[in-house]
Amino acid sequence: MTTTETSKTMDICEIKSYLPHRYPLLLVDRVISYEEGKTITAIKNVTVNEEFFNGHFPHKPVMPGVLMIEAMAQTAALLSFKTMNLKPDENSVVYFVGIDGARFKRPVGPGDQLRMDVEILRNARGIWKYKAVGTVDGQVAVEAELMCTIRSATDASQPAG
């Protein structure tokens, strides 16, 4: 980024205007930066008050891997909407169509800040493919290639591609 460019960020209010998720499943707290059509970096502040820690696991709280993947997918959805210059309506839904190469490298727990870096690999026929990496303190915690599509809730029964 050159010194003449300004960093694009999103606070929680703007995030909520793009994602339909709400507590306890809204898993993006802030977007640090994004570049339409390319990349986005967001954070999830993980606290002991997360509902999932009541059962996963009471003696050693660990953020479930599926929720780390979901947090990265929500981050990817934000990038897609910004790239399309589209604000979703109440009928817009982002669906997973694939998760490839998911790897979990370190546990994420209370007090951690999960930093999610997502890059668009391609967008063809309404299917978006991303490379996503989640880190804590510079260490990779989770990585995967995600594939998603954006559909109207009324078209939800139709095949993705």
Side-chain angles (χ1 to χ4, degrees):
M1 181 164 41
T2 66
T3 54
T4 58
E5 293 179 71
T6 58
S7 179
K8 296 179 181 179
T9 64
M10 296 174 74
D11 65 13
I12 192 63
C13 293
E14 187 175 2
I15 290 167
K16 288 169 71 174
S17 75
Y18 281 90
L19 296 178
H21 307 78
R22 295 297 179 262
Y23 177 84
L25 285 177
L26 179 58
L27 300 173
V28 179
D29 292 323
R30 175 170 290 283
V31 172
I32 297 170
S33 65
Y34 65 91
E35 184 177 351
E36 292 96 340
K38 296 187 179 185
T39 63
I40 188 169
T41 299
I43 57 171
K44 165 64 178 148
N45 293 308
V46 182
T47 73
V48 74
N49 296 321
E50 307 286 352
E51 190 67 33
F52 51 79
F53 286 140
N54 288 327
H56 199 267
F57 299 98
H59 63 286
K60 173 66 174 136
V62 175
M63 184 175 187
V66 68
L67 293 181
M68 290 188 275
I69 297 287
E70 174 65 24
M72 294 190 307
Q74 289 178 19
T75 301
L78 290 167
L79 179 57
S80 293
F81 286 125
K82 285 293 191 177
T83 296
M84 294 184 299
N85 195 26
L86 173 71
K87 197 149 233 189
D89 62 23
E90 63 278 349
N91 259 337
S92 299
V93 182
V94 179
Y95 290 107
F96 268 125
V97 294
I99 302 169
D100 295 326
R103 298 288 180 266
F104 303 95
K105 309 271 185 162
R106 80 178 291 285
V108 175
D112 287 339
Q113 185 177 74
L114 182 63
R115 176 188 167 115
M116 299 163 289
D117 293 294
V118 177
E119 171 189 359
I120 295 173
L121 297 178
R122 72 175 171 268
N123 173 18
R125 296 183 324 207
I127 304 292
W128 295 76
K129 186 171 186 176
Y130 318 87
K131 177 183 178 188
V133 179
T135 58
V136 174
D137 296 329
Q139 297 178 330
V140 175
V142 58
E143 59 188 3
E145 286 190 355
L146 309 174
M147 289 179 289
C148 302
T149 189
I150 300 167
R151 294 281 186 255
S152 166
T154 57
D155 296 334
S157 62
Q158 301 302 312

